[in-house]
Amino acid sequence: MREMVKMVIVLTLLSSLSGGLLAAIRNNTQDRIDSQVLKFVKGPAIQRIMEGAANNPIADRFAIQIDDTKKNFFVGVFDGEPKVVAFETKGSGYGGDVGVMVAVNVETGKIRGVSVTTHNETPGLGARVETDEDFKSQFQGVPIGSQPKVKPDGGNITALSGATVTSRAVCKAVSRAGELFERVKPKISEKLSTFSG
């Protein structure tokens, strides 16, 4: 019995020590992880949809607290004004969530571009959502609050052949971007009014 108690105490101490060590490592490396994700995952998507910006949209960003999450908004300066913001939302695809970066012209309320950041879709089918420019270009100029849908669902977006579920995921992500944009638009405008680049 005494040996059993001793073993439980040792295991408890080892578990606590391991948990604390893992938490400390995670806390100390989180900034580096976030920086790498921004540079190699989100950065290329942001640069594609902010092409022609006079600034560096990856460096020029601000965060807004939305419920229990801080969401980053990346600023694009065009014609000398910070008039475009890009932010990420998600929609459920065939293989899980599809991350979509959506750039919105704050003055016109229209989508400047969309670009896929992350996905686990089927190679050769849904995975084409990341590279098919014809599919992504259908969202350009669409009002951000318009809730785009694929044609089988009564909308105007032509789905990728053999990848309707993935195409719906992008439409859902863009719809969520519209809802989010309308919800925090006053805060975005406030941040942009004090933006110094």
Side-chain angles (χ1 to χ4, degrees):
M1 181 69 178
R2 197 171 181 180
E3 284 299 314
M4 179 75 91
V5 171
K6 190 175 173 183
M7 193 166 71
V8 168
I9 291 172
V10 170
L11 285 174
T12 303
L13 285 174
L14 284 176
S15 297
S16 299
L17 186 64
S18 299
L21 186 62
L22 287 173
I25 290 172
R26 187 179 191 285
N27 288 338
N28 288 331
T29 58
Q30 191 61 50
D31 287 345
R32 185 179 290 177
I33 292 169
D34 291 345
S35 173
Q36 295 297 309
V37 168
L38 184 58
K39 183 175 181 181
F40 294 108
V41 178
K42 297 179 183 179
I46 295 166
Q47 288 173 335
R48 274 192 294 274
I49 57 178
M50 292 283 205
E51 188 176 346
N55 64 324
N56 179 358
I58 298 170
D60 294 335
R61 62 183 187 267
F62 58 83
I64 294 177
Q65 185 76 33
I66 302 170
D67 298 327
D68 58 348
T69 306
K70 260 191 178 177
K71 182 165 275 299
N72 283 319
F73 290 81
F74 302 89
V75 179
V77 174
F78 294 89
D79 302 323
E81 297 291 330
K83 58 175 72 172
V84 178
V85 292
F87 53 99
E88 186 180 33
T89 56
K90 294 179 179 176
S92 295
Y94 187 75
D97 283 343
V98 176
V100 179
M101 192 67 70
V102 181
V104 182
N105 185 317
V106 177
E107 290 181 357
T108 64
K110 293 183 177 177
I111 296 171
R112 185 172 199 282
V114 300
S115 192
V116 173
T117 55
T118 56
H119 68 83
N120 288 314
E121 301 302 284
T122 308
L125 292 173
R128 288 182 291 126
V129 73
E130 189 175 350
T131 56
D132 193 307
E133 296 301 328
D134 289 338
F135 173 74
K136 292 186 286 185
S137 68
Q138 297 178 87
F139 295 92
Q140 291 174 355
V142 171
I144 185 63
S146 65
Q147 305 276 320
K149 295 177 182 172
V150 293
K151 288 181 179 175
D153 296 338
N156 296 321
I157 301 295
T158 301
L160 288 167
S161 177
T164 303
V165 173
T166 308
S167 303
R168 281 190 181 115
V170 174
C171 288
K172 186 66 181 173
V174 173
S175 294
R176 287 182 176 152
E179 293 164 6
L180 184 68
F181 180 78
E182 292 302 327
R183 184 174 166 196
V184 298
K185 189 176 177 182
K187 290 181 181 175
I188 292 172
S189 297
E190 182 184 327
K191 293 277 188 181
L192 291 179
S193 69
T194 60
F195 178 78
S196 60

